[in-house]
Amino acid sequence: MGVVASAPAKIILFGEHFVVYGEPAIVLAIDKRAYAKAELRNDKKLFIRSSNLNIAGIFENGNFKVEEGNPKEAKMRLEPLKCAAEKVLEISGEKVGLNIEVSSTVPVAAGLGSSAAVASAVAASVGALLNVKMTKEDVFRIAFEAEKIMHGTPSGVDPAISTFGGTLLFQMDTGFKPLDVKVDIPLVIGNTGVERLTRVQVSKVRSVRDKHPQIFEAILRTAREIVLRAIEALIEGDLETLGELMNFNHALLYGLSVSDESLEWLINSARKAGALGAKLTGAGGGGCMIALTDKDKLEKVLEAVQRSGGNAFIARKTDEGVRVEPS
Amino acid sequence: MGVVASAPAKIILFGEHFVVYGEPAIVLAIDKRAYAKAELRNDKKLFIRSSNLNIAGIFENGNFKVEEGNPKEAKMRLEPLKCAAEKVLEISGEKVGLNIEVSSTVPVAAGLGSSAAVASAVAASVGALLNVKMTKEDVFRIAFEAEKIMHGTPSGVDPAISTFGGTLLFQMDTGFKPLDVKVDIPLVIGNTGVERLTRVQVSKVRSVRDKHPQIFEAILRTAREIVLRAIEALIEGDLETLGELMNFNHALLYGLSVSDESLEWLINSARKAGALGAKLTGAGGGGCMIALTDKDKLEKVLEAVQRSGGNAFIARKTDEGVRVEPS
C-alpha cells in the first residue's frame, strides 16, 4: 500500500523575463496537480516511473538502469526525483527501497512548473510513507535541490509555488512574499504545442538589453509599474483591471520578440471570445498562453482557444500547496 | 492652359498617439504625390474637382453647388481646397475664376496626409498660375489653414511635411525640426482597407492614460527613448536598428489597443517576408501599416503584404516638398 501526495502546477501571471533583471513577478498556483505515489520495496532499489512521459528506471548504488523509454531522457527526467526521494530517505535514516510513480495533470515542459510540482509531491509522499515529520519549508528545500539538478540555476519560484500554493510575489533580491488574494482567478490556459527553448528566449531579451539599454530600462520600468498595479488589483479582486494589465504585460513581451505567431493566434482568439485579458506565460516563443476570463465566459473562451488549435483547459488559483492525499 | 503643382504624402515613422502627450514624433515625406492643376475661367466662379473621389462642385459668392458626387461629402472635402485657393487669390489681389482639378496617388483618408498634400498643391498651383511670389512658409500657412477647416485642431504636421518634404522631428511644445537624413528609406506601405476613426483611437489611448497613469507615464518614456534612438539611427543611416525601433514602437501601440487584427496580419506577413521592422502608422484600428525593408527585399515584402490582403505599394523618403511641375 502506497502513499499519494500532490502539489499544484503554476502559471506566471506577471513579470516573466523582467524578473531576470530584478523586477517583480507574480506567480499563481493552479488547481491542476502533479501526483506522486510512493511505496516500499523488498529490496534497496529505487524504482521511479513517470506515467505521462512513459519513462521508468531503477537507481541502485549510483547506477541507473532504464526500464522504459529513451535511456538518456529517462535519466535526465528521473534523476531530480531520485534526488528528492534520497533527501527524504537521508532525513528518515532508513535504508529501504521505494517504488515511486509520478503523473502530472498539466503538460510537461510547457512552463507550468510540472517538474517542480512532481518533485514536491515525491518529497511529501516519501516523507509520509516513512513517517518523517517535514514542514513545507523542508519540502520546498528538497524540491529546490531537485530543480537545480534539472535547470542549473533556477530562481526557486517553481518549487516555492508548488509547495506553498496561493499567489507569490517574487523578486530576485528579496525572494518570495505571499499575496493575500481572496478573489477567484478563472483562467483558460492554452498550450500552443510549439516547443520552446527557454535559453533562446532569454537571450533574445538580453540582446535587446545590450543593444538598446535606455529603451530596455524604460520597458523594465513599465513592467514594474504593471506588477505594482497588479498587486493592488489582485488584493482588491478587480479582475477587469487585472485583464488590462495582462494585456499591457503581453505587449511588452511581444515587443521583446518573445511571443510568436502560435501564441498570438491563441491570445487573439481568447480576447475575441471575451477574455478580460490574455498573455503568454513563461518563456514564450511557443509554450503556453493564459486568458483571464469572467466565470460565465470560461467555456466560450476555452472553446475559442481550442478551435484555434490550442490544447486548452480551465484552471483556477488554488491556495492548496503540497499535500498528502487521503488514502 | 493650366499650371500643375504637386506635394508629397507622408507617413509617421515614430511617435503617433504619444505626440498628443508631448512626446516627439518623426514624420517622413514619401515619393507619392498629390497633384493640383489650376487654370483660369472666364467667369468669377471657383470650380474644384477631385478625380480620386469623383466629387466636384462650384463655389460662388459663398454658395456651393455640387456637380458630381454626394453633396455633403463634396462640400466637406472641397471646402478646404476652396479656402486654400481663395487665400492665394487674396494675396494676388486678382478677382478671377478658377478651375482646379486635384488627384492623389495615395489612398485618401488613410493617414497618409493626402488632404494636406492636396491643399499644398492647390496653393502652389494657383500661386504659380497667378504669378504670386510665395515662399514655402506661405504655402505651409495656407495648407495649415485649409487643414483646420477639415480637422478642427490639427497638429500642423501634415501640411508641414507635404510642403517642406524630407524628415521632420515634431513635438507639441517646440514644433518642427528638419532631420538631416541622407540614407534612402525603402518602405512598403500597406492599407488594410479597414476604415478607422481617429477620434475613437485617440480616446482609447486617453482612457489608458486616465485609468493607469503610472503605467502610461512609463510607456511614454519608452516611446521617447525609441524616438531619441531613432534620430541617431536615421542620421547614421542604420536601417537595421531603425527596423527594430519600429517594432518596439509598434508593440507600445499594440499595448494601447490601437492596433487591430487587420494591421497585425499585414505587419506579421511583412516581418515574415524579411522586413527589417514594421508598424502601424497613424491612428491605427485599421488604416495603414509600414514596413522598412532592405532594397533587395522590397518586392518580396510587397508581395507578402498584398497576398495577405493589403492594398500595398512601395514608397521611399523624398526630400522634394511642394513644387510646381514643369509644363
Side-chain angles (χ1 to χ4, degrees):
Chain A
M1 205 201 73
V3 174
V4 176
S6 71
K10 69 108 200 339
I11 52 112
I12 303 177
L13 201 56
F14 292 98
E16 52 273 271
H17 284 293
F18 305 116
V19 81
V20 175
Y21 300 92
E23 300 303 332
I26 298 174
V27 189
L28 201 77
I30 55 172
D31 60 354
K32 301 287 159 187
R33 306 180 72 85
Y35 294 85
K37 183 181 178 184
E39 55 186 15
L40 291 171
R41 280 174 72 101
N42 295 327
D43 54 23
K44 300 284 170 63
K45 294 176 185 175
L46 190 55
F47 170 84
I48 310 179
R49 178 169 194 280
S50 162
S51 54
N52 291 81
L53 300 171
N54 292 314
I55 53 176
I58 288 180
F59 294 89
E60 191 186 5
N61 300 327
N63 296 316
F64 175 71
K65 200 173 126 242
V66 69
E67 299 262 308
E68 198 180 339
N70 174 292
K72 208 176 148 190
E73 197 206 343
K75 181 149 195 277
M76 185 189 74
R77 299 263 179 208
L78 299 178
E79 183 96 21
L81 304 183
K82 179 207 76 162
C83 160
E86 281 184 345
K87 294 265 171 205
V88 183
L89 283 168
E90 268 173 42
I91 299 172
S92 76
E94 298 202 46
K95 299 223 183 313
V96 294
L98 296 170
N99 286 327
I100 298 172
E101 174 130 6
V102 300
S103 63
S104 171
T105 59
V106 295
V108 170
L112 301 177
S114 72
S115 67
V118 166
S120 296
V122 165
S125 65
V126 175
L129 181 73
L130 304 178
N131 283 313
V132 181
K133 281 263 170 255
M134 287 200 299
T135 62
K136 282 196 175 170
E137 278 70 22
D138 295 328
V139 173
F140 163 65
R141 266 191 296 274
I142 291 168
F144 195 9
E145 288 303 312
E147 195 77 350
K148 283 179 189 166
I149 292 172
M150 189 82 175
H151 290 304
T153 52
S155 65
V157 171
D158 284 15
I161 196 75
S162 69
T163 304
F164 298 107
T167 312
L168 292 178
L169 182 67
F170 174 72
Q171 203 160 359
M172 227 45 135
D173 296 351
T174 48
F176 315 104
K177 189 185 143 194
L179 294 177
D180 185 23
V181 179
K182 299 255 182 344
V183 72
D184 184 23
I185 312 270
L187 295 164
V188 170
I189 300 178
N191 188 353
T192 60
V194 175
E195 281 203 37
R196 75 219 200 301
L197 279 170
T198 300
R199 192 168 32 81
V200 172
Q201 299 300 104
V202 168
S203 78
K204 275 187 198 170
V205 176
R206 188 165 300 273
S207 71
V208 172
R209 200 268 316 249
D210 292 346
K211 186 163 178 191
H212 306 287
Q214 285 93 341
I215 294 168
F216 191 71
E217 188 49 52
I219 291 173
L220 283 185
R221 191 185 137 191
T222 312
R224 189 185 323 148
E225 294 293 348
I226 291 169
V227 172
L228 294 179
R229 185 74 193 82
I231 295 169
E232 293 172 10
L234 277 165
I235 290 168
E236 290 161 9
D238 179 355
L239 293 190
E240 201 183 308
T241 294
L242 214 56
E244 294 171 11
L245 297 171
M246 286 168 67
N247 288 340
F248 292 142
N249 192 156
H250 182 70
L252 298 185
L253 294 167
Y254 167 99
L256 295 171
S257 305
V258 293
S259 190
D260 75 344
E261 266 186 288
S262 69
L263 284 162
E264 291 302 312
W265 193 248
L266 301 190
I267 286 168
N268 272 330
S269 66
R271 287 177 182 160
K272 273 166 67 184
L276 296 168
K279 64 185 277 292
L280 72 82
T281 186
C288 290
M289 52 72 72
I290 53 175
L292 182 71
T293 305
D294 273 332
K295 257 174 258 181
D296 58 348
K297 282 192 184 150
L298 272 173
E299 288 297 334
K300 197 175 165 219
V301 172
L302 176 71
E303 275 168 33
V305 175
Q306 284 171 332
R307 262 203 315 276
S308 299
N311 193 341
F313 56 93
I314 290 170
R316 292 180 147 87
K317 175 174 79 76
T318 182
D319 292 325
E320 280 266 18
V322 68
R323 73 180 176 216
V324 176
E325 300 288 334
S327 55
Chain B
M1 206 201 72
V3 175
V4 176
S6 71
K10 70 107 197 347
I11 51 111
I12 304 177
L13 200 55
F14 292 98
E16 52 273 272
H17 283 293
F18 306 115
V19 81
V20 174
Y21 300 91
E23 300 302 331
I26 298 174
V27 189
L28 202 78
I30 55 172
D31 59 354
K32 300 287 158 185
R33 305 180 73 85
Y35 293 85
K37 182 182 178 182
E39 57 186 13
L40 291 170
R41 279 174 74 102
N42 295 327
D43 55 22
K44 300 284 170 62
K45 294 176 186 175
L46 190 54
F47 170 84
I48 311 179
R49 179 170 193 280
S50 162
S51 53
N52 291 81
L53 299 171
N54 292 314
I55 53 175
I58 286 179
F59 293 89
E60 191 186 6
N61 300 326
N63 296 317
F64 175 72
K65 201 173 125 242
V66 69
E67 299 263 308
E68 198 180 339
N70 173 292
K72 208 176 149 191
E73 197 206 343
K75 182 152 195 275
M76 184 190 74
R77 298 265 180 207
L78 299 177
E79 184 96 21
L81 304 183
K82 180 207 76 163
C83 161
E86 281 183 345
K87 293 266 171 202
V88 183
L89 281 167
E90 267 175 41
I91 298 170
S92 76
E94 296 202 47
K95 299 223 182 312
V96 293
L98 296 171
N99 286 328
I100 298 172
E101 175 131 5
V102 300
S103 63
S104 169
T105 58
V106 294
V108 170
L112 301 178
S114 72
S115 67
V118 166
S120 295
V122 164
S125 67
V126 175
L129 181 74
L130 303 178
N131 283 314
V132 180
K133 281 262 170 257
M134 286 200 298
T135 62
K136 282 195 175 172
E137 277 70 21
D138 295 328
V139 173
F140 164 66
R141 267 191 294 273
I142 291 167
F144 195 9
E145 287 303 312
E147 195 77 349
K148 284 179 190 165
I149 292 171
M150 189 80 175
H151 290 303
T153 51
S155 64
V157 170
D158 284 14
I161 197 75
S162 69
T163 304
F164 298 107
T167 313
L168 292 178
L169 181 68
F170 174 72
Q171 202 158 1
M172 229 45 137
D173 296 352
T174 49
F176 314 104
K177 189 185 143 193
L179 294 177
D180 185 22
V181 179
K182 299 253 181 348
V183 71
D184 184 21
I185 312 270
L187 295 165
V188 169
I189 300 179
N191 189 354
T192 60
V194 175
E195 281 204 36
R196 78 220 198 300
L197 278 171
T198 300
R199 192 168 31 80
V200 173
Q201 299 300 103
V202 169
S203 78
K204 275 187 201 170
V205 176
R206 189 166 299 276
S207 72
V208 172
R209 201 269 313 252
D210 292 346
K211 187 163 177 192
H212 306 288
Q214 285 95 339
I215 295 168
F216 191 71
E217 188 50 52
I219 291 173
L220 283 185
R221 191 184 138 192
T222 313
R224 189 185 322 148
E225 295 292 349
I226 292 169
V227 173
L228 294 179
R229 185 71 193 84
I231 294 169
E232 293 171 11
L234 278 165
I235 290 169
E236 290 161 9
D238 179 355
L239 294 190
E240 201 184 308
T241 295
L242 214 56
E244 293 171 13
L245 297 170
M246 287 168 68
N247 289 340
F248 292 143
N249 191 156
H250 182 71
L252 298 184
L253 295 166
Y254 166 100
L256 295 170
S257 305
V258 294
S259 189
D260 76 343
E261 266 186 289
S262 69
L263 283 163
E264 291 302 313
W265 192 248
L266 302 189
I267 287 167
N268 272 330
S269 66
R271 287 177 183 161
K272 273 166 65 185
L276 296 168
K279 64 185 277 292
L280 71 83
T281 186
C288 291
M289 52 72 71
I290 52 176
L292 182 71
T293 304
D294 273 332
K295 258 174 257 182
D296 57 349
K297 282 192 183 150
L298 273 171
E299 287 298 334
K300 197 176 164 217
V301 173
L302 176 71
E303 275 168 34
V305 175
Q306 284 171 333
R307 261 202 316 274
S308 299
N311 193 340
F313 56 93
I314 289 169
R316 291 180 146 88
K317 175 175 77 79
T318 182
D319 292 326
E320 280 265 19
V322 66
R323 72 178 178 219
V324 177
E325 300 288 335
S327 54

